[in-house]
Amino acid sequence: MKSDNVKKGMQQAPHRSLFNALGFTEEEMNKPMIGIVSSYNEIVPGHMNLDKIVAAVKQGVAEAGGVPVVFPAIAVCDGIAMGHIGMKYSLVTRDLIADSTECMALAHQFDALVMVPNCDKNVPGLLMAAARINVPTVFVSGGPMLAGHVKGKKRSLSSMFEAVGSYSAGTMTEEDVKEYEAKVCPTCGSCSGMYTANSMNCLTEALGMGLGGNGTIPAVYSERIKLAKRAGYAVMDMLKKDIKPRDIMTKEAIINALTVDMALGCSTNSMLHLPAIAHEIGFDFDIAYANDISEKTPNLCHLAPAGPTYMEDLNEAGGVYAVMKQLLDAGLLNGDCMTVTGKTVKENVANARNLDPEVIRPMDNPYSTTGGLAVLKGNLAPDGSVVKRSAVVPEMMVHEGPARVFDCEEDAIDAIKSGKIVAGDVVVIRYEGPKGGPGMREMLNPTSAIAGMGLGSTVALITDGRFSGASRGASIGHVSPEAAVGGPIALVHEGDTIAIDIPNMKLELKVSDEELAKRKAEWTPREPKVTTGYLARYEKMVTSGNRGAILELK
């Protein structure tokens, strides 16, 4: 056992004295030591229930013959961090989580791990760590929140942000907003639409790193506790069979995850996280893969914000496995990939069924014949940009309009809410990329303001920042190269014409090559916005959005 490095032999007598201080019995010293990475905290709604999940995992591990040992991982609530300096600290935690978990796991020589994440950067950060540490590892998330109910309709956090825009437009009263405020987030759990947290928890199933139901069983269901116990059993079985994360998270598994991503209509943030996970296994993931896979993968689900269904509905319809079964039967998944069950993808989904053909459309009646995401390229984004096309209204799939240019999110929001943005405009928010932010803030506030002001079907938004999974509309993010390194988005002038063609994957600035070269020659880099602390170090090491905003030594 790996833990023998700190438990066996005369040289380890000092180590054993410290285990004695921890209360370890002699019997426990002879059993595998299983690290349980707990993301529990009291500030993230999706994490406030993780103490119960962790307790269930501990029980499962102990029943299966292991010694469970809990240590923590941090997590930021993107909703609470939204719209202020806090959002600069969201994406950057992904690498802190990966690094700190690597440190804890290897310093203490755990034999295996169970990761208990839930929200946003927590999931990919722990997947990255799992690939680095490479001991048997199972994921079990805290589960999604139930949808809220307002005036007889299901609602979620994205509805709340859009309500604020509607109030600014005068189409909703303060009392209406207060009702939304009280009802859209009714339980613990990750927010109830196909936002980033739920996207990544579903894709954890698709990768083979979580048990069936990991992404969809609601946080408040007792079935979630059972799943956590089974995760404890599963990790002990993996340890016996010596199945490790790099046996599971292969290139083929990541392509499987991207395929499921297209069918589910996941958050654009998956196009930051899948490349970062791929990087950890030595797979150079080009975001343009998304277009090749999208061309042959239909979009089968329209969960909020793209449509009226929620995670609880996907769970009742058969969950991620039901989607995967349809894709596998159509020849779109590699069924031979190994998973944490000790079985292949094909074996896992063999008995899955689609129980609701409106929540999960059959292959011959998809919401669209192409996948939920698209990567757009052109002279405005030579290295690519990302749009959740499943959440774009038909009339905005092709759009051309004047650029309304802002050098930070706050200025754009002020212009939107004060009525300065009109139908046909293309809002450009720049210097918000991984380096320029620093931290690549999500733009849920401006996209929600646009939707709430009634401009969602006439106004586009383009940024070198990123979007929450709760954003909808013609919202194009991850524009690369970013403005901070002199990318073409830095050269856009107020009133320039921008052409968006999502079906043909094009994003063009209607300015001549000669004029762009002239502007580039006149451009000068800006001083970093932050010069101290973690963000300053992050800004020096982070790569562009098209590479997953991974950290590299320069």
Side-chain angles (χ1 to χ4, degrees):
M1 292 187 295
K2 193 180 185 75
S3 62
D4 286 350
N5 291 327
V6 292
K7 293 190 302 187
K8 300 290 185 182
M10 185 54 66
Q11 289 298 318
Q12 280 65 46
H15 305 70
R16 289 194 295 276
S17 72
L18 293 168
F19 282 108
N20 185 63
L22 289 168
F24 270 54
T25 65
E26 188 173 339
E27 291 82 0
E28 286 176 315
M29 292 291 286
N30 292 313
K31 293 179 180 179
M33 188 167 67
I34 313 302
I36 302 174
V37 185
S38 171
S39 305
Y40 169 77
N41 64 45
E42 295 182 341
I43 189 63
V44 184
H47 289 235
M48 64 183 283
N49 65 318
L50 294 189
D51 55 339
K52 294 176 178 61
I53 303 297
V54 167
V57 171
K58 288 179 68 176
Q59 184 176 340
V61 167
E63 287 178 4
V67 180
V69 181
V70 179
F71 64 89
I74 63 170
V76 163
C77 177
D78 277 23
I80 294 174
M82 197 74 65
H84 55 90
I85 191 173
M87 184 42 71
K88 293 180 185 289
Y89 286 91
S90 171
L91 177 61
V92 305
T93 64
R94 185 186 71 185
D95 297 274
L96 284 173
I97 291 161
D99 293 348
S100 59
T101 303
E102 174 192 356
C103 291
M104 287 293 289
L106 295 179
H108 300 104
Q109 293 291 286
F110 289 102
D111 295 301
L113 298 167
V114 180
M115 306 291 198
V116 187
N118 210 24
C119 290
D120 293 281
K121 276 30 96 217
N122 200 243
V123 186
L126 290 177
L127 285 165
M128 291 161 66
R132 291 181 198 173
I133 301 160
N134 203 37
V135 297
T137 302
V138 175
F139 277 65
V140 56
S141 77
M145 184 183 292
L146 293 179
H149 291 262
V150 183
K151 294 180 172 60
K153 293 185 178 179
K154 287 184 177 181
R155 292 287 185 254
S156 62
L157 184 66
S158 54
S159 312
M160 184 72 254
F161 276 90
E162 291 180 14
V164 175
S166 297
Y167 175 77
S168 298
T171 58
M172 190 174 279
T173 66
E174 185 174 353
E175 289 72 25
D176 290 331
V177 174
K178 285 183 176 179
E179 183 180 6
Y180 270 69
E181 191 177 319
K183 294 180 177 179
V184 298
C185 295
T187 74
C188 63
S190 48
C191 295
S192 56
M194 188 54 82
Y195 310 147
T196 305
N198 293 326
S199 294
M200 294 310 301
N201 283 323
C202 287
L203 295 185
T204 297
E205 284 188 55
L207 279 170
M209 289 298 293
L211 300 175
N214 177 73
T216 60
I217 297 170
V220 295
Y221 283 15
S222 298
E223 189 63 31
R224 176 65 53 180
I225 301 297
K226 295 179 186 178
L227 186 75
K229 291 175 184 176
R230 293 188 191 108
Y233 305 154
V235 79
M236 295 304 295
D237 187 55
M238 288 179 72
L239 184 59
K240 289 173 188 170
K241 294 175 178 175
D242 196 31
I243 300 172
K244 299 185 178 75
R246 287 183 212 161
D247 300 322
I248 296 170
M249 288 193 284
T250 61
K251 175 179 178 180
E252 292 76 20
I254 288 171
I255 296 299
N256 274 355
L258 184 56
T259 303
V260 174
D261 186 333
M262 292 298 170
L264 288 174
C266 290
S267 165
T268 52
N269 281 314
S270 64
M271 296 304 292
L272 284 173
H273 301 321
L274 287 177
I277 295 162
H279 177 74
E280 297 293 344
I281 65 163
F283 172 26
D284 187 10
F285 183 103
D286 185 337
I287 62 170
Y289 293 153
N291 289 344
D292 295 335
I293 290 174
S294 178
E295 283 305 303
K296 59 187 179 183
T297 307
N299 178 223
L300 304 178
C301 300
H302 259 195
L303 285 86
T309 53
Y310 293 82
M311 295 306 296
E312 62 200 64
D313 302 311
L314 179 58
N315 187 63
E316 294 301 319
V320 176
Y321 274 13
V323 176
M324 292 177 70
K325 179 66 162 66
Q326 292 190 175
L327 295 172
L328 182 67
D329 288 346
L332 297 175
L333 288 185
N334 185 324
D336 296 328
C337 291
M338 180 51 60
T339 74
V340 294
T341 65
K343 298 177 180 178
T344 64
V345 167
K346 183 178 181 179
E347 291 172 312
N348 283 346
V349 306
N351 297 320
R353 290 189 301 126
N354 181 355
L355 303 175
D356 190 334
E358 271 307 301
V359 176
I360 304 171
R361 290 282 184 90
M363 298 294 285
D364 60 0
N365 184 33
Y367 283 100
S368 67
T369 56
T370 52
L373 299 178
V375 172
L376 313 185
K377 290 190 175 185
N379 68 347
L380 187 51
D383 293 338
S385 61
V386 182
V387 63
K388 186 174 183 174
R389 69 170 150 195
S390 60
V392 179
V393 295
E395 54 267 40
M396 289 299 290
M397 296 295 280
V398 177
H399 179 76
E400 190 169 304
R404 306 298 307 279
V405 183
F406 304 93
D407 288 350
C408 68
E409 177 189 5
E410 289 82 359
D411 290 349
I413 292 170
D414 288 345
I416 295 164
K417 290 189 174 179
S418 63
K420 294 177 182 175
I421 302 301
V422 299
D425 284 347
V426 179
V427 176
V428 176
I429 305 178
R430 62 192 181 188
Y431 294 100
E432 290 283 9
K435 283 186 178 293
M440 204 177 187
R441 288 195 288 180
E442 287 186 341
M443 302 291 162
L444 180 56
N445 273 338
T447 59
S448 297
I450 287 169
M453 296 285 285
L455 298 170
S457 60
T458 57
V459 169
L461 193 153
I462 296 172
T463 181
D464 52 8
R466 60 195 179 93
F467 296 109
S468 164
S471 292
R472 62 187 176 98
S475 304
I476 301 166
H478 310 192
V479 171
S480 301
E482 63 174 291
V485 298
I489 192 171
L491 311 178
V492 180
H493 286 183
E494 182 80 10
D496 283 348
T497 298
I498 293 176
I500 300 163
D501 187 345
I502 295 173
N504 290 304
M505 321 297 184
K506 294 289 186 184
L507 183 62
E508 296 283 346
L509 179 64
K510 296 291 190 177
V511 171
S512 68
D513 292 344
E514 293 76 17
E515 174 61 20
L516 278 178
K518 177 174 176 289
R519 294 181 188 181
K520 177 70 173 179
E522 295 169 351
W523 178 83
T524 55
R526 301 192 174 193
E527 290 297 314
K529 293 177 184 176
V530 180
T531 57
T532 60
Y534 178 59
L535 285 180
R537 297 196 301 277
Y538 182 88
E539 183 271 334
K540 288 183 178 4
M541 297 176 66
V542 71
T543 61
S544 63
N546 70 295
R547 296 191 58 209
I550 59 172
L551 300 185
E552 285 187 339
L553 294 172
K554 297 298 186 325

